[in-house]
């Protein structure tokens, strides 16, 4: 039974309504459990500090919370639909193990509080992971760039040959683009590094003296997020910003993958890919399609759609907590996982794409050097626009 | 081993690349299996008809396909990641059971073909279901409207009281809006009722004589989708249109649910809801929040985001098959399930919302009748604009 | 001065607030004026019919309304920001010309009513135009398809050569796709063909006897939209559905244009385009880029974004009128204009794309015919899957 | 005549194609002109430095460029559709005034280059403006918060009364939320502070020795954006990031405005608004609707839609320049203007919203204090969960 039923009468439950409202939310909560336990341990210390529980009670709670973590790691602490979420599951376990002491764990906090602090802990870690992943990705591009720095290739605009460039310059563009995204990522990482625990339902509790700096220290937050209404406002918003901070990197990679597809399209052999990056056909045995790149393209669209989903769920709600906000939890996890996979896939492409020197050399047709001819004229004093017209006429009449 | 590996060398597989490309796509295929078997049975009949298989071979295939269906219904025909999809799983089973005859089942079709026809069969059924669901929903609103036809209530614009109306008129607006959506839904249902089986990889097969009208008849399609490239183009597009056809209904319901939230917000008691439509708080025992309505609001945003995801995956791809299109299968199922749940939830609200006559009567304050005062003047010949100004001045000075 | 100021005190206006709220909305109203005048003429007839105005008064109003139309056509009836919208401008003009009779024109209707009916009239016409435009576009593709029915070309999947097809089949795919969109378009055209005039502010007027069937007849609507709250709900929703009905056609065209770009990319010469469909470069005189196709691609994204804008403005508002709905008017006009332009541009491409027989012939490399080799084996009784493996091995070892 | 026609034959132009491709792009260029002139002046200095022009030529160019600026400020330097863009207009003017010297101005750069650097200059300025605007907005909220720090008000969750709070805490939440957005904004401001001028068409020019550090210094960029392909990649991307950096602030404000609407809905008088923030009705003289807040809500949706438009235009293009990217210019200006207006409007609300002490006092009903009763029990040692159940039962039975 849930702890906060509005009524105990028989018409208080409706199976479909429960399914609709809770959905598979409790499953996502397996991802929150560890962080929730860590926050609960800090919260218990605070309750000890302000005199709600005794030293002995705190020890009981700490021990039981550690047990939950152990059980969870062994896959034996399961959150079921009856629990609705991991927060209830934890309180039930503590009450079972510690009796009345367990019933004290929720003092001074709310479920909303628990989700807020657990998500915050998780997001901080994920942002650190993404920091590293983007850095590595940038490094891979950079290493490949150095390796192929002298390999000439045609530069394209409008999917038409434009001017000569090198594989090194091409790959370094992505390296630079990605490494530039790290400071904005860090600034969001700093933004979210504030402790919301103690905001209760978004208004604090006037006649309960919380020691919020204590949990801030215990949980290694840079500061306490003082205003309780702002704590509530930041639920969903900070999730959005963490996902958002990944978007420019993913957009940059979308253009790298578009290049991969273009440079291997229609039998073009500028680059060779290992077999594990191509797929065959069920009826055309000759086919070697770059399916992972196409799936990449589709998954970027999925990523953008989920990001947008967060925006429109969040947008325009009154400032206090509303239940729709809870749906952002799964949007965050889905978008975050997609981003991880997209970056890992891009890294595999970056590491495995091998220039085909012969094909690239053959592709360096005369039209790529037309602009250089203009500049040869510029060098001898012909005004650019005149040189342009002159070379153009030669090109059009075939004299070039 | 997959049937269409591009190479058998050891570097042909990469676990993460496989995970990235196939993902959990094979799980969605459990939903496709039944339709795929039905299409395979029709396809076998066609192969018999054009002389690829004998009568005896056809019987073997039909029997084995029926077995697959039985096993599937008992949950014993599982599609694993190794199979990649249900189409391979079926061919493997047939080959195991029927030997060389099993190896003939794929004659004249492609996997793309199979997905196309299976999805088409499923979508036709789902469109019929949605037709009924929207009709029932409209009926529920209409019945409730009749029941409360004489119950007065304040009409609001800009979330401010505007003019008097009745609960009956309010509910009938949704009934009318929903029933009006049925003809456009039907027109999409008719659009998709064309058989794509036999388009092969999107270009037919020049030296294989398919009898496409035969499978069209067997599978109860209204017509054959002749042009094979159009068959390919319609993959993803028809999925989009099926989801799109539900959108106006869902948008209409989003406004009904907004009303529910508004008419019960802040302790307003215009309508009472059964307990199973409200949720309590983990720290505020007095709370009765209409969480299902808030989740409804959030899920509409999820629905819109997935619909948009389909658009941007589909948009701008070259006309032949590209692998990203395969991601639309899961978008379709997710959006379709969301739509079903949203409509079911709306129906529960429609059936359970009960006007509170006393509260509604109290709410009928004088300001709601100001416009009627103008029309009393209009009746005795005062030009409307003058009557408006006159009544306005009375209202502002408190004489009214 | 606006007719419906809430107060005459000096602090009733704030220049920026006015700018923010009204914006350039009044400019869009130049597009509404003609329809508003037509609706006002029908409304005046109704007022005569129910005895609000005399025959003489009606004649005065009809005459003045015709004058407005004439002035408007000469560009001399301007709607300024002071008017806020065309509806006020019309009433002011009538009051100036007809005195007290002008002050009667607003009897029994509201501004909301006027926008609803004027937009409905406009949307009906635009839907008829789009019907014709899509039909013509389909016809153009069909004619071109017939013209090039025997011209062979490579069919692509995954941007790799797959199997042989013809220019005729390729173009007919778009013709079929487009003509299939006409019935759903018509069903939306039928949906919106209902008269909202007389819904007043969304609740009718209890002590005013409107003759709504009269205006329905006069304005050639198929029926009266009876429920006044539904009239209000349909504002924005019907606009959305009109735009939505164009989306599948535009998505189909997005794939045609992607093909154009792909078949002319990187100097490929499968098709030639007239010079007016290409653009040069400011520094590379050799360039011929298909800029209109790239702009097409970008404008499809604009179209999808505006469509989505309508959804998220509309979604989740309480059922009565809210001012945000007024923003959908400009979204509708912008999306509608974009759609017209996209279709016109696609038609120019369809009519002007010319196959290059020589280049297409050269492109018909052996790999395109591998599947046919399988079917030659199938014909002599080899099971498909075996034939596939056999041909594949030959292909891989270069024996093919 | 445009300078870069691909052909001079009569079929090189098509009025509609020109309209479709160029659109009203040239009008947006009036906003770019000043920055383009500044960049051109720096570019001329560079040309002098590398010996392309003489000191005398440079002086002529500087003088003529200053003239353009003066003419522009007087509204006399107009960019017409024939010019296509401001870049051509400038070169034409320089050629007219300086003869052959004018024809040299385009040496070492491309139009793409010019747009890149001009937009970069503009975006840096706008980011500074937004920095100030968000800071001011935060300050306004903070000042109002201090002013009303002791004014009690009900805190809501789920649009139901939850717990007591103060107007001060409520307003400070927005102040905190906004000021927290300044560091991420600054990090994007730093990101874009790199000079792209000299990237030419995205590949540099191998036989032209540009002095890029010189223009970097002259134009006060923090550094040179070295990689020319990255310069190209950042077009559209940096625009996106500038708009994106405003989104969290706008989402925060969307919740403030939702509160405004909720706290004034249905005649609730928690806050009073000046008359200029309300609008009347054309037929209901008693109405005072908060239209600017509703338009605010709609414009946030417009803002989100345009932001998303940029993403989907940019996403998945090959890395070189493609014409669709040019559409992002107008998306940027439209989104940026919307953001400015939204923030200004929010500031007006923040400054003008006045708590109604009497109404707020009356609203402090007993249910708001139920949680405090629990904590009174907690204080005397009752475990929280028991205290919760006990108070809940009292509340349900009416003993409380």
């Amino acid at each position: 039974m849930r702890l906060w039923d509005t009524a105990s009468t028989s018409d208080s439950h409706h199976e479909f309504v429960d399914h609709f409202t809770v959905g598979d939310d409790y499953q996502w909560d397996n991802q929150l459990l560890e962080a929730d336990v860590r926050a609960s341990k800090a919260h218990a210390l605070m309750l000890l500090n302000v005199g709600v529980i005794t030293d002995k009670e705190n020890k009981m709670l700490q021990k039981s919370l550690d047990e939950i973590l152990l059980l969870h790691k062994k896959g034996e602490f399961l959150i079921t639909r009856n629990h609705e979420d991991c927060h209830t599951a934890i309180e039930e376990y503590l009450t079972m193990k510690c009796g009345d002491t367990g019933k004290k764990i929720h003092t001074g906090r709310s479920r909303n509080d628990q989700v807020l602090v657990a998500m915050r802990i998780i997001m901080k870690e994920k942002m650190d992971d993404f920091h590293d992943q983007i850095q590595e990705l940038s490094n891979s591009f950079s290493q490949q760039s150095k390796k192929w720095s002298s390999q000439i290739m045609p530069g394209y605009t409008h999917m038409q040959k434009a001017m000569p460039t090198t594989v090194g310059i091409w790959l370094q563009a992505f390296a630079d683009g990605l490494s530039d995204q790290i400071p904005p990522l860090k600034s969001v990482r700093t933004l979210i590094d504030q402790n919301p625990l103690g905001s209760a339902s978004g208004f604090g509790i006037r006649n309960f003296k919380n020691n919020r700096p204590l949990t801030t220290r215990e949980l290694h937050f840079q500061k306490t997020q003082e205003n309780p209404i702002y704590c509530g406002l930041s639920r969903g918003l900070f999730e959005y910003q963490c996902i958002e901070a990944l978007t420019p990197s993913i957009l940059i990679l979308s253009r790298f993958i578009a290049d991969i597809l273009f440079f291997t399209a229609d039998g073009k052999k500028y680059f060779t890919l290992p077999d594990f990056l191509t797929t065959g056909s069920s009826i055309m045995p000759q086919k070697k399609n770059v399916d992972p790149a196409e799936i990449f393209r589709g998954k970027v669209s999925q990523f953008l759609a989920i990001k947008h989903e967060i925006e429109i769920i969040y947008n325009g709600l009154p400032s206090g907590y509303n239940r729709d906000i809870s749906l952002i939890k799964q949007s965050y996890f889905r978008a975050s996982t997609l981003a991880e996979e997209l970056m890992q896939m891009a890294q595999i492409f970056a590491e495995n794409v091998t220039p085909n020197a012969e094909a690239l050399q053959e592709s360096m047709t005369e039209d790529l050097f037309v602009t250089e001819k203009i500049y040869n004229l510029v060098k001898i004093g012909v005004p650019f626009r005149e040189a342009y017209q002159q070379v153009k006429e030669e090109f059009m009449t075939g004299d070039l």
Side-chain angles (χ1 to χ4, degrees), chain A:
Chain A
M1 202 196 83
R2 288 175 299 164
L3 295 169
W4 39 81
D5 287 321
T6 51
S8 52
T9 61
S10 59
D11 63 2
S12 71
H13 282 297
H14 186 291
E15 203 179 327
F16 173 75
V17 174
D18 284 358
H19 162 74
F20 182 84
T21 313
V22 177
D24 55 0
D25 204 47
Y26 65 95
Q27 289 178 319
W28 296 103
D29 272 22
N30 283 305
Q31 300 203 41
L32 253 70
L33 191 123
E34 189 179 329
D36 196 357
V37 168
R38 279 162 61 190
S40 293
K41 286 168 67 75
H43 187 69
L45 280 176
M46 185 279 292
L47 293 177
L48 168 66
N49 175 272
V50 302
V52 167
I53 58 174
T54 64
D55 195 49
K56 195 181 150 198
E57 284 181 314
N58 174 47
K59 279 181 184 135
M60 280 170 70
L61 290 172
Q62 299 292 343
K63 187 164 164 286
S64 299
L65 285 163
D66 288 335
E67 283 166 20
I68 289 174
L69 219 52
L70 269 171
L71 288 169
H72 175 63
K73 278 176 185 163
K74 289 192 285 182
E76 293 169 10
F77 189 84
L78 291 182
I79 302 155
T80 65
R81 180 174 293 177
N82 281 350
H83 286 123
E84 191 174 331
D85 57 37
C86 66
H87 319 300
T88 315
I90 290 172
E91 183 170 342
E92 277 191 7
Y93 185 89
L94 296 180
T95 303
M96 184 184 74
K97 287 284 181 170
C98 317
D100 270 9
T101 303
K103 294 181 183 171
K104 292 179 183 170
I105 189 68
H106 209 56
T107 318
R109 71 178 187 186
S110 75
R111 253 192 309 171
N112 189 28
D113 235 5
Q114 285 180 270
V115 180
L116 260 171
V117 73
M119 284 300 294
R120 202 66 58 91
I121 289 168
I122 288 167
M123 290 193 288
K124 280 170 61 182
E125 282 175 3
K126 281 211 186 289
M127 285 300 264
D128 289 339
D129 293 346
F130 279 117
H131 174 281
D132 295 348
Q133 199 173 8
I134 293 171
Q135 188 61 65
E136 276 172 44
L137 197 41
S138 175
N139 293 347
S140 294
F141 276 110
S142 211
Q143 281 158 25
Q144 287 283 76
S145 166
K146 281 186 193 79
K147 190 168 168 189
W148 309 105
S149 64
S150 58
Q151 174 62 56
I152 201 166
M153 73 178 279
Y156 284 81
T157 60
H158 307 271
M159 293 188 283
Q160 306 291 348
K161 280 182 192 168
M163 289 172 75
T165 188
T166 67
V167 173
I169 294 171
W170 173 60
L171 290 170
Q172 192 59 36
F174 304 106
D176 287 2
L178 291 165
S179 64
D180 269 4
Q181 291 305 324
I182 288 179
L185 190 89
K186 275 184 179 165
S187 78
V188 173
R189 169 69 178 74
T190 302
L191 164 68
I192 67 169
D193 200 357
Q194 36 186 330
N195 178 22
L197 185 57
S199 62
S201 293
F203 306 102
I205 298 160
R206 296 206 297 187
N207 57 341
F208 175 75
K209 187 144 180 46
N210 200 318
N211 183 347
R212 296 190 61 198
L214 188 151
T215 54
T216 297
R217 267 194 318 276
E218 279 299 318
L219 293 167
H220 309 292
F221 281 103
Q222 268 192 2
K223 63 172 184 176
T224 304
Q225 190 172 17
E226 296 292 349
N227 187 297
I229 296 181
Y230 176 37
C231 292
L233 275 182
S234 63
R235 184 165 171 197
L237 182 70
F238 284 6
E239 280 82 338
Y240 170 70
Q241 293 195 253
C242 286
I243 296 307
E244 177 46 49
L246 308 170
T247 306
S249 298
I250 284 170
L251 288 175
I252 289 166
L253 294 172
S254 82
R255 300 194 68 174
F256 167 62
I257 294 296
D259 280 354
I260 293 291
L261 283 165
F262 183 59
F263 291 146
T264 59
D266 200 20
K268 203 184 290 170
K269 292 185 176 6
Y270 289 180
F271 296 93
T272 53
L273 295 169
D275 279 349
F276 61 74
L277 286 173
T278 62
T279 309
S281 153
S282 78
I283 70 165
M284 295 172 285
Q286 82 281 12
K287 293 279 281 183
K288 282 190 127 186
N289 306 315
V290 195
D291 285 37
E294 293 173 359
I295 291 287
F296 188 99
R297 198 169 48 186
K299 287 197 175 183
V300 173
S301 293
Q302 291 183 328
F303 177 83
L304 295 178
I306 302 175
K307 181 166 77 75
H308 186 57
E309 174 183 300
I310 301 177
E311 284 175 351
I312 59 178
I313 291 176
Y314 184 89
N315 177 30
L317 293 174
S319 64
Y321 179 67
N322 298 277
R323 183 70 178 264
D324 4 16
I325 289 290
S326 73
L327 296 171
I328 293 178
K329 185 167 56 184
Q330 50 180 281
S331 311
Y332 170 80
F333 283 123
R334 289 181 59 230
S336 184
T337 302
L338 264 173
E340 269 174 58
E341 291 185 0
L342 287 165
M343 288 183 193
Q344 191 171 342
M345 193 69 236
Q347 181 127 359
I348 291 170
F349 271 106
E351 288 168 357
N352 284 284
V353 73
T354 308
N356 181 333
E358 203 178 340
L360 285 168
Q361 194 53 52
E362 265 174 42
S363 74
M364 299 307 298
T365 43
E366 212 183 2
D367 49 336
L368 284 159
F369 300 94
V370 169
T371 304
E372 293 187 13
K373 288 189 200 308
I374 298 172
Y375 280 88
N376 289 336
L377 296 175
V378 165
K379 264 184 195 152
I380 57 169
V382 184
F384 169 78
R385 188 56 63 198
E386 259 179 51
Y388 173 92
Q389 289 296 352
Q390 190 177 321
V391 171
K392 181 177 175 174
E393 271 156 46
E394 287 168 21
F395 186 81
M396 305 291 276
T397 56
D399 287 353
L400 199 130

